[in-house]
Amino acid sequence: MKHKIKYWVARLQARLMSRLAPKTLHVPTDHAVITFTFDDVPDSTLYYGATILEKYGLRGTFYVAGGLAGTSETSRKLITESGIRELAERGHEIGCHTFSHANVAALKDAQLQSEIDRNRSFLSRILGDNKGGHGPKFNFAYPYNAVSYFAHRRLARNYRTCRAGENRINRGAISPQMLYGMEIRQPEAHSLQLTREIDAVKAQPGWLIFFTHDISETPTSYGCTPATFEKLVQYAVQSGCEILTVDEALDDYASAHAV
Ligand SMILES: [Zn+2]
């Protein structure tokens, strides 16, 4: 029961955000863009995810929760401070989760601002000015993809965009606090079938933002193997779609329209 209520509250928040938050970002439907993003940033994304993208001359966006950095969980290790620095030096974009991976929808206003500030100062200390992005602000991803409509103004003041889940492609007028993401996860067969989403964005252009967690030979439920990840990257390259980081896609859209 508790689970069901949580589920419906999350659906409601996502719907409020999609409908009511100001749609100030226009995703053009005349050319297709694909972005690969990583949440939490397990260290395997540096060894496999970043390396596979680089093999094709591409870069990704990595949403770091500073409070998890360098910690070990049962089935994964999170990236260290030097790993984060290395990602940025290799040209990848560093984005933000909340510092402690707290659910935005469960935080009071002051708690949310503290999470935002802690993560920003954590990353600024490690990266200096090199956040591997182009915009003046970091991009953000909601932990657990849990959106909070009530936080949208605070998030808008602090971040360039906020990425959720929803497994949809972004097209036309959208809220920058409600970028849709498409999850690469287990089972492996499910992730391999995501090539059809690449076909879909090619056929009807917009912005397809993939997200995943670990890229590992023994992935958690929320990750995939290096082989599957590389198949998706390869397929995206062959599709002829533009493959950009979140910041690069926003710069691309801003040059076509005033954002
Ligand atoms: Zn997360």
Side-chain angles (χ1 to χ4, degrees), residues 68-107:
L68 300 182
T71 62
S72 292
E73 297 171 0
T74 343
S75 47
R76 60 177 196 173
K77 274 191 180 152
L78 283 304
I79 198 163
T80 59
E81 294 189 12
S82 65
I84 296 167
R85 198 174 298 117
E86 188 178 336
L87 277 176
E89 279 166 4
R90 283 160 61 170
H92 296 278
E93 178 190 352
I94 306 300
C96 293
H97 247 355
T98 49
F99 180 78
S100 68
H101 203 269
N103 177 344
V104 171
L107 293 175

Side-chain angles (χ1 to χ4, degrees), residues 195-216:
T195 51
R196 70 178 170 211
E197 300 295 343
I198 297 171
D199 292 336
V201 77
K202 194 182 174 186
Q204 198 189 336
W207 187 11
L208 169 59
I209 306 174
F210 282 119
F211 72 96
T212 191
H213 293 80
D214 50 315
I215 306 286
S216 158

Side-chain angles (χ1 to χ4, degrees), residues 39-41 63 65 68 76 97 101 141-145 213:
D39 287 12
D40 307 355
V41 193
Y63 296 105
L68 300 182
R76 60 177 196 173
H97 247 355
H101 203 269
Y142 293 98
Y144 314 101
N145 301 311
H213 293 80

